[in-house]
Amino acid sequence: MKKTVLIILVILLVVCGGLILAISISPTKKFNEVKIEATKKPVVLIVVDSLMAEPLQKAIKEGEAPAFSFLIKNGDFYPEFISSYPTMSVTIDSTLLTGTYANQHKIPGLIWFKKDEARMVSYGSGIAEIWDNGVKNVVADSVIHLNETHLSKEVLTIHEQLASAQIHTASINGLLYRGSFKQDLHVPKLLSLADILPKDIKVNGPMLLSLGGLSQYNPANDQYKYIWKRMGVNNEFTSHELTYLIEQRKLPSFTLAYLPDADASIHKNGPGDRSGIEKADQALQELLNSFGSWEDAVEEVTWVVLGDSGQSAVKEEKETALIDLNKLLKGYTFLERGKENAQLAIAVNERMAYIYLNDKKISFSDVVESLKKDERIGFIAWSDEQTNHVISSNDKELTFSPNGSYIDEYKQSWQLEGDLATLDIKDEQGTLRYHTYPDALARLYGALHSQTGKVIIVDAKPSYEFIEKHSHDHAGGGAHGSLHRVDSVVPLIVSGETKRPPSNRLVDVKEWVIGLLGGS
């Protein structure tokens, strides 16, 4: 009974704290013992969760976001930067850190099926999903395996690449942080008593690694690490931690910091909610105020502020809004805890989902025919041994593969057969242009080849969201995950630097930042 109570407490902590609650950094590495040097003008890259251009511009117009306004007036504003796919934080962060899509960094989504272990991997979502996937598995995947084993060793993170050039970096409140310096994670007694994690864990991180209130450099941050403050996984903790680095003159050449608060309010209230923008602006004001003037801030530091994904409004009526994949595929058996030899496994990532055909007797065509019956699905995609297939809701079909005669707007080449309208692609004077689904072929190819096995991708139209038996839904609020531009297009602001990014894609930001810092 005691162990059960502990596990229930762990679940509540995990949900409230975004899984970072499970870890703490070794207190033996004192901040003042770390020698930090900035080789060039420092770059601070701030990710504002679910920041979208339209509500941001409205907030600025209404005078609700003076710090955002200042950075835009003293820099460049790009309202349509393209995220990764699926548009879920861990996949997006992996793309931002590695400069690759999911086929290379190998983080398919927030939830995915690991074939070699015959289990679902989840980095934390709703309570029912966490319980079904196993609390111990969810915590270990998030705390240990995400950075140490799941993120491909075949790609370098920005922290690793800059470290090889003797350029120091920091990560503040980022779940993905892999670097070249050994860090000790000390697990709270709650988790060790419940046998959720080992007592001591060693990971590889950047020179400065801050993970919520359980790993802090700023001693004044204690007030922001209570459970009701999500144990430091909040805007105030991030801004205070970063301000402390600035005031102590310990700001390294590159810092990646996260302002997470907006995501929850938009999930609850929908994409028109601007309260998260106001809170993010307050955090930016604090950072700018740590300099002699705001003008000094952009003179001394290059500021890059960006969103990670947009969100679609989800209809309020659940029967209409939610695409129940268990019902749609009711003739099959589904993977769940304690059930072996299920025909299908479903990994719902809000407005997209992976469907795994674990029974070799089941064909792609059989499952696709069942899925096509639901007009709320924007497209269905899968890959066989020869090529990649896409079918839209109106039965348009397209096959595609890399390295062909078609060239898109990002100089990527493709072999194409079928109807380009399937993904709303247009051939304009010999160049493929993307519309409804930005950078559609590369991002979709990345997701299709992010893992092994027979996998189908389903992607919802705006206003709809996928669910399965254990899913948490966002009916009446907002959700993301899809390839559609409503989820995929985010703003990016650059202030204090005149060299522009090479494209409007997050996948290209890593090499641009490295170039600013003189790395290679």
Side-chain angles (χ1 to χ4, degrees), residues 14 18 21 24 86 95 116 137 220 274 294 434 439 465 490 493:
V14 164
L21 302 186
S24 61
T95 289
D116 60 344
N137 286 338
R274 301 205 300 264
W294 286 14
Y434 302 106
D439 197 17
E465 180 179 17
V490 298
I493 302 163

Side-chain angles (χ1 to χ4, degrees), residues 388-440:
N388 307 284
H389 303 260
V390 190
I391 296 179
S392 67
S393 59
N394 53 6
D395 273 342
K396 290 182 170 63
E397 297 187 25
L398 176 70
T399 63
F400 70 98
S401 297
N403 305 317
S405 58
Y406 288 89
I407 308 297
D408 69 14
E409 56 192 288
Y410 301 106
K411 310 301 182 186
Q412 301 165 132
S413 67
W414 303 97
Q415 298 177 34
L416 300 173
E417 289 186 14
D419 195 337
L420 295 179
T422 307
L423 290 173
D424 194 18
I425 302 170
K426 292 181 172 62
D427 189 343
E428 300 177 6
Q429 299 180 332
T431 300
L432 299 178
R433 302 285 179 186
Y434 302 106
H435 298 278
T436 302
Y437 302 107
D439 197 17

Side-chain angles (χ1 to χ4, degrees), residues 345-362:
I346 299 175
V348 169
N349 286 268
E350 298 188 19
R351 295 193 352 92
M352 75 84 72
Y354 292 108
I355 301 169
Y356 300 84
L357 282 57
N358 293 336
D359 186 339
K360 294 180 180 180
K361 297 177 182 178
I362 299 175

Side-chain angles (χ1 to χ4, degrees), residues 283-300:
L284 292 176
Q285 289 181 51
E286 179 184 348
L287 295 173
L288 296 176
N289 287 338
S290 62
F291 294 85
S293 67
W294 286 14
E295 289 75 16
D296 288 343
V298 298
E299 182 67 28
E300 296 177 26

